[in-house]
Amino acid sequence: MTLLLIVLLPLIGSLVPLASARFKRTTIAWLVAILPAIALGVAAYHTTSVFAGNIPTVSLPWVPSLSLDLAFRLDGLSLLFVYLVLGIGLLIILYARYYLSENDSIVRFYGFLMLFMTAMLGIVTSDNLLLLWFFWELTSLSSFLLIGYWSGLSSARKGARMALTVTGAGGLCLLAGILLIGNVVGSFDLTTVLESRDLIQSSPYYMAILLLVLLGAFTKSAQFPFQFWLPHAMAAPTPVSAYLHSATMVKAGVFLLARFYPVLSGTDEWFYIVTLVGLTTLLYGAFFALIKQDLKGVLAFSTISHLGLITLLFGFNTELAAVAAVFHIINHATFKASLFMAAGIVDHECGTRDIRKLNGLWRYMPYTTVLAAVASASMAGVPLLNGFLSKEMFLAQSLDAQMLGGLSWIIPALATLGSILSVAYSLRFIHDVFFNGEPKDLPKTPHEPPRYMRLPIEVLILICVLVGILPAILIEPILTAATAAVVPGEPPQIHLSLWHGFNLPLMMSGIALMGGLMVYIARDHIYRFHRQFKTLNARDSFENMVQKLVKVCQWSIDRFENGSLQRYMFWLLLTAVGFAASGLFQVPRLAGDKVVQPVDSVLIIGGVILCLAAIGTIMTHRKRLISLLFLSVVGMLVSLTFARFSAPDLALTQLAVEVVTIILLMLALFFLPQKTPKESTGGRVLRDLLLAGTFGGVIASLNYAVITRPVDSISRFFIENSVPGGGGHNIVNVILVDFRGFDTLGEITVLGIAGVAIYKLLNRLRLFMPSSDLEGRPWSPERFPVILYSVSQTLLPLALLVSAFIFLRGHNLPGGGFIAGLVAAVAIILIYMARGVEWSQRRLSFNYQPIAVTGVAIAALTGLGSWIFNAPFLTSSFGHFEIPVIGDIELATALLFDLGVYLTVIGATLMILANLGKVTTSHRPTKEKQ
Amino acid sequence: MIPATRLIPTPFLTLLLVAVWLMLQNSLSPGNIIMAVILGIALPRLTYRFWDRQPDVQRPWLLIRYILRLIGDIIVANYEVSKLVLSPWHKPKPYFVVYPLSMTDHFAITVLTSTISLTPGTISAHFRLHEGTVLIHALDLEDEEALINEIYERYEKPLKEIFGC
Amino acid sequence: MLERAVEISAVLFMIAIALNFYRLILGPSLPDRIAAVDTMYVNAIGAIVLYGMWLKTTLYFEAALLIAMLGFISTVAVCKYLLRGDIIE
Amino acid sequence: MMDHLLVMPIILPLFAGLAILWKRDASARFKRLVSLSAMALLVAVGVALITMASDDTIRYYALGDWQPPFGIVMVLDRLSALMVLLTSVLALFAGLYACAGQDEEGSNFHGLFQLQLMGINGAFMTGDLFNLFVFFEVLLIASYALLMHGGGKARTQSGLHYVALNLAGSSLFLIALGVLYGTLGTLNMADMAQKVATLDTSSAGLTMAAGLLLLTVFALKSAMLPLYFWLPRAYAAAPAAVAALFAIMTKVGIYAILRVFSLIFGNQAGALADMASPWIWWGGLATLALAAVGCLSARDMRTLVSYLVLVSVGTLLAAASLPGQQSLSALLYYMPQTTLVTGGLFLLADLIDDQRGKAGARIVKSRPLRQPALLGTLFFIGMAGIAGLPPFSGAIGKAMILQATPEGARVWLWSILLVAGLCAIVAASRAGSTFFWRSSEGEASGPLAGPARGIATAALIGAAPLLALLAGPITQFTDATAEQLDHPARYIDAILNPDPENQAMPMSNSEETP
Amino acid sequence: MEALYATVTGVLTACGIYLTLRGRTFPVVVGLTLLSYAVNLFLFSMGGLASKSTTIVDSSFPYADPLPQALVLTAIVIGFAMTAFVVILAMRTRGDLGSDSVDGQRTDEPREERK
Amino acid sequence: MDWRFALELLVSAFLIFGGVFAVVGAMGMVRFKDFYMRLHGPTKSTTLGVGCILLASMSYYWLRTDTLSMQEMLITLFLFITTPVSAHLLTMSGLHHKLPCDDATRGRPYELKESGGATKESTASKR
Ligand code: NA
Ligand code: NA
């Protein structure tokens, strides 16, 4: 379980700076360092066991159905990386304390740094591939935050975004690869996967897996052609660069190569892809490292180059090459971290990183010069330093690569070329900065940095030197352990020593050193050669590309979603008609088995008028009032149709609703343009007609097909139970208030909400009001015709009486709360029309909203009442009571429910109509005397 | 607005409502009668605020006679119109007549204009409130004066008696 | 005989409605069209009552009653619109 | 009273809404109090329902004591319980956010909010197709009103589109319902499922037409291409609390698709089994692809989040069309987290808008934020969560969906889903670096996110880590839910041949049952 | 008769659809109303066309299927609520956007008083 | 002749008359030359036509069930109250729209005259 601590402690550590924000910076640094230090101790604690060949693991279930476990392992490779990540991490913590200025939030920095450290540790210790991916993406995220730390700088923001995009994309590929592996192996358990080499390599997915995993690795470790993000990540503070580009971020990519080496390597595909990419990257990085004028840029490209080297080594498919790769991982981490820190000091003390300005610094900071020189020498592969050892191994392995057949000599040749360039840029780093004359207009006068800022570099340089001199003692055990995890089967015998005798690799090293010196001397020719080409700034072109992509996306989205309801509606209807038609095509014969009923002349006339009225509505739709008149004819005839086919309730309802709708539309018409301009093009009209016609045809066919087919329906139950179960003779009404009372409750809720919603819509509504009608005629001065209001006041009590009548009989005969409510509401609206809002409002002392709400509440409470009798919501009861004189009367809870409906309808309808009227009255443009 | 001082502010209306209720129910059972009375009293009280003060029917019998006469006239009116509609050779002679009112009560005027519209060949076209006249459109009329006299004698005078105004 | 009379009368009413509809199409003025629709409503009352007689049921009287009431109100609304624009002012 | 629990998700918000609406000019305090306590209670109800449903019994509540298939039933299975709980949690925090002042920008906010919840919960609970229509209408009309809350041109414009399309959609729903009733003779979904299986060939095509029309309607609700065009503008224009609640609205459509097409047209439907899957599959993929493009095109954060909603819709639809329980389970895990997090992001967009002055939520340079650390953290977590980046729930959900993809479908879903994720990352990093890093000179002077708004936003976005942490038990639940959904016969059996013990309320008219 | 009925439903639907596709709020509203009439007719007929039938118990006629009638009733009411809302929304659109175009595009309209 | 048969005959006559009146009213509406004349058809014939039907219906149920159905009376009442008002409002609208009347019309009111002869009212209507 202690293994968990290695990841957990830094994770907790990411909260430490937040918690200790109020302390001094040095204190914060120390506090932050504590937890990773303990984690390092935990790793040390396991070291002997790991060296003995054990692999400590721990596994906690997390998402079993995804086979995602919190599983960690500490094999040799993991251990090596844990040391690198934590060790260099601790040095960075110290270094950053001095590097960051007072204006930079150290809390934020340490928080992000620790988060990043956690992610790195997670990657290297995960024993579950999905978990590994989790941490993998977490490094992308946290590095985004770190690179963008100086968020005020445009370069930092762009660099961070680019890094996130590239590595994030790679991470997604890795996920796909991992999922494929899991699919092939049947497990995400790393131990199992590592044992499934044959299974994976023989699976048809091998190529896909290989490509996806390599994409993940290459993007992360900045391999060609994904190298471009790395130099721009230099916008980060130098401690970040030192950490990300020596021991961590980019090393995650090569770690992945090492991790999957046992299962993916050994094939030709692996060799060609990895070698080619590695070699290209090696040379590309080396060349540009020579050219860059930015101190950190040089280091960035050298990092790319060295990562290419490591990749190349992994590509060789030999065990010793893998050993060399792992070894170079360590060496590169140490010297590159120290070089970055040295560059940071220079930057920090001089205020610039421009190599053209930086000259002769050794006079100002001799101690730093020495440290940087040693690190550079290691990078160049100078003997007695660790870089020499792995470089030598690399050259030796390049000679062994035979896969290219007759062209195999190319690899050692290019490897030597890479080494030459490496020497050249290392020389340049030292000579151009610390020697080579006097500094040119530096912003600051440089001097040695604070003592503790140098300490981390000293530690690393010490390691470089010691490893370089005493490799067998210092590095062999861990290298052996790490290699054991990388190379399948028996680990190769590693013999690290400074002197292997005179051999070809040594000669190549010599050529590299000499060649490097010569190239450096002749560097001006190279610069001149390079200046012929237009330099491309990867960041800007990436940014431009993204901008262009965004523009293209915006353009296409604007094209697609052009804000046109007409288009959206068209798509909706087209989809619907297409779907319905596709179903209809499956119907063998449209006509069903039912006997068709005869048709009579009344029906024909009615049907023809109905169709003509509908067509009239669309023919006249630009003259809106006429269109409305046709619509009202349609409504009336639909109502007659309901009546004709034995649905008196429906006829009544349709009629009432139709009239209210017409009133509503008339109200609206006043505020809308009274005419529709002719806008649609002929093509549009034709298209719409075609769609409408097809739709109509499909609906008609569906309708015909269904009504000519017999069906066995549940309706019999309602017919049989209406009286005994629901206590009403009007089956439709009993369905509404009892069998399906819940629907009705929902329905009146809709009505109530509509009322409230409309009230809401009318709030602060600004309206256009025509002062004349369509022909420019002023409105009639007579606001309220006498005859009209005399009659309407007579009609009101009569209508209310009818309303009461319709309400009370609804349960047994056509009628019911809804129709009754509409009748009452319409009668009141008539008063409003006849006498105006002001007059009517004075006489109506109540608000409509509470009426509607009360209505719904009554219905709902009626339903709730059944709980008292331990019956489900809305259970009805009824009874017949014998009352003297009056006789038998029936009382049913359904009637109470219907009362709720009644009140809701009145309240909601009046809320809609009367409120609408009210809103407009005060705004009438011209008022005239009555 | 009619003040609701009395239990039954408008007895005639109450009577009308009771009758209508019973007609609607089509039954004279005790329950229905009780309900009719309840509604007949409740509804006017509920709606009195929407009423202008208006004349009560002073002489109900005259009203009944008026209604019967009206029904007769409607039938005649239809006969007249039918003749005009169906005979292609007869060209109607339309006439706009201004009828001077001698009543001022809006309700009574409404009844009168309705009557005019329902009866032979005439439609009340416009009630000119400020002039105290009704514009009448006659479908086929020779003599303006005759029409005015007829309307006064047949309808307006009885109405004045009925409503006592 | 009665059934026959009901049917004939129904056809006549449908013809009347068709003629009203013809006037609605013809116009020419808005009041003409409104009058046509109003008349259709009144004729619909007749049609529905006849339908009830045809079925020998009284279930459709309420519908007739409502047409009488509501048809009137929608005519009022449209006329008010012609006269004043704003129907509830 | 445990029995009545099944109807509580509907009548609790109903009564709360009525109480609030009864007095339009009641004090804001009163309305907030009623609204929040009702929603807290609703969360409790949701938890209780989930606990009940966890025993794998499918219960029903026969309204009015009319037994199925005749009466309307509310059905509690794992899926409906999950949806109700999800809704109530989302609503609680969206409502809490509104209580910081947004509720007073127009009238009747809380009442409508409650009724909206009633509609949503009703849609989740009902076992009757027509009743589903009714609840759709309840939730729609409430959403229309809420969308317009506070007014403004953008809301009016997008609202009109939303309303008009949904009105047409309702008509289509009714047509589909009609045909289903006309061919199957019933409205109860379990009964329909039973009858579909025995449908003769001459009517199967009609039922298929109806089923596909239903799919159109649900696709409109769930915002599937080409029916989603209304969504980005509408959601972007809606008041934050409403937009947050709307995060569940598309899921209502997805729920309906799951329910109807697993039950009625599920694997036991004979000739019509799984007929909609190819449509849902391609529709989902197309939605996903276009939504990804939309993410990149977003000019402001609200629109961005709207497209992120669409990304999740596309993902869910594609997953819904895949065969097998594994994908269902993945979908059911993915749905809650994406709902809560997108909801939270809408709230966050509002907070950012508030503090950035004129620039609002547009992705342009502006004055610095007042609380960059808080908002930035939330932004980071929320966006990472929704883009499917670890260690948040989105990553788990996405991985589950990818893993559940069968071989033939992989090329499509994997590539589109992963690219969509990348687009989301790019878009989010653009937006985030602009909001939090690229500020002009000037004082941070916007209003602070007070405790209510802060807590609400943090709670919803906090779902990303929380649901990742709890992924084990949750996926256990969703696995079982998927299993339940994959066996429609159990549902049918539970409704039509009830074991008396499994009924929420005892039958009193038992002689009426078939 | 069935064919006639289905034709009428189809024509009403087609007309409703056509208007729904127009570019101004008013025709769209009218179209939606027309469409809902058509849909109500459609839904109503799903229990079969019943002549000389009834839904009242104790009548001498055979029963018509009462369930679609109840459904249509609910649909009518809901449709009414929705229509009312969309009508007011159309006014709101005009008020807020100055045009009754469904897409909010400003078009030249005769100036009218606005307050 | 049995009284029932006589009544049946009467009812049948009423029915036919009603139908004929309705058609006549509608024809009037189609045939007459100006709006004001056309309005006479519906106000009279149609109303009476429907009235006949209602009367027939009353007798019909009396014939069938021996109960006098009074609801038809109510419909008639409503109809007779509302039709004149509709007609009145319609003519008002016609006058407001200055719908032309037939050339043979006498006593043309000032509402229909061109605005040249401005009267008290027409100035009032100018706003
Ligand atoms: Na008004
Ligand atoms: Na007004």
Side-chain angles (χ1 to χ4, degrees), chain A residues 177-241:
Chain A
I178 285 174
L179 287 171
L180 277 181
I181 291 175
N183 198 258
V184 170
V185 177
S187 167
F188 292 118
D189 182 30
L190 189 60
T191 314
T192 319
V193 170
L194 289 180
E195 285 159 1
S196 313
R197 177 193 169 97
D198 294 339
L199 195 61
I200 291 174
Q201 297 204 348
S202 62
S203 104
Y205 290 117
Y206 172 69
M207 194 59 199
I209 292 172
L210 182 66
L211 282 176
L212 290 168
V213 170
L214 288 181
L215 276 172
F218 290 167
T219 48
K220 203 75 155 185
S221 57
Q223 295 298 294
F224 188 84
F226 307 109
Q227 80 296 336
F228 56 87
W229 67 266
L230 192 142
H232 296 286
M234 295 300 144
T238 301
V240 172
S241 311

Side-chain angles (χ1 to χ4, degrees), chain D residues 6 17 492:
Chain D
L6 269 71
I492 297 170

Side-chain angles (χ1 to χ4, degrees), chain A residues 671 837 916-922 924, chain C residues 86 88-89:
Chain A
F671 304 105
V837 173
L916 182 54
K918 194 162 63 183
V919 161
T920 60
T921 306
S922 49
R924 191 78 195 226
Chain C
D86 193 2
I88 300 179
E89 48 185 335

Side-chain angles (χ1 to χ4, degrees), chain C residues 23-87:
Chain C
R23 175 50 73 189
L24 169 61
I25 295 173
L26 219 59
S29 69
L30 278 170
D32 266 310
R33 298 182 203 258
I34 298 166
V37 174
D38 184 57
T39 314
M40 282 177 88
Y41 270 101
V42 179
N43 281 327
I45 299 173
I48 241 180
V49 170
L50 282 168
Y51 180 65
M53 290 168 73
W54 188 57
L55 282 185
K56 305 177 183 68
T57 170
T58 53
L59 290 177
Y60 293 91
F61 281 127
E62 287 68 37
L65 189 63
L66 276 198
I67 298 179
M69 268 179 63
L70 298 174
F72 164 69
I73 290 171
S74 69
T75 306
V76 168
V78 186
C79 287
K80 186 89 201 283
Y81 175 77
L82 285 192
L83 290 166
R84 295 284 305 160
D86 193 2
I87 64 173

Side-chain angles (χ1 to χ4, degrees), chain A residues 62 66 151 161 183 205 554 558 561 563 579 709 713-715 721 738 740 743 756 759-760 849 854 873, chain D residues 21-22 24 61 64 66 107-108 128 131 149 161 181 185 228 233 307 403 407 410 433 437 468 472 512:
Chain A
W62 183 8
L66 187 61
S151 56
R161 283 207 300 263
N183 198 258
Y205 290 117
Q554 284 175 346
D558 291 347
E561 299 158 30
F579 274 165
R709 281 171 167 72
S713 125
I714 53 170
S715 289
N721 285 281
D738 196 343
R740 300 186 64 89
D743 276 348
V756 175
Y759 175 82
K760 209 172 161 62
Q849 182 164 323
T854 309
F873 189 69
Chain D
L21 287 175
W22 199 74
R24 188 186 291 149
Y61 184 91
W66 299 107
S107 61
N108 290 326
D128 185 284
N131 196 238
H149 181 74
H161 293 189
Y181 177 78
Y228 82 72
R233 284 165 210 247
Y307 280 108
Q403 204 191 349
E407 209 170 321
R410 254 179 228 158
S433 61
W437 289 351
E512 306 296 354

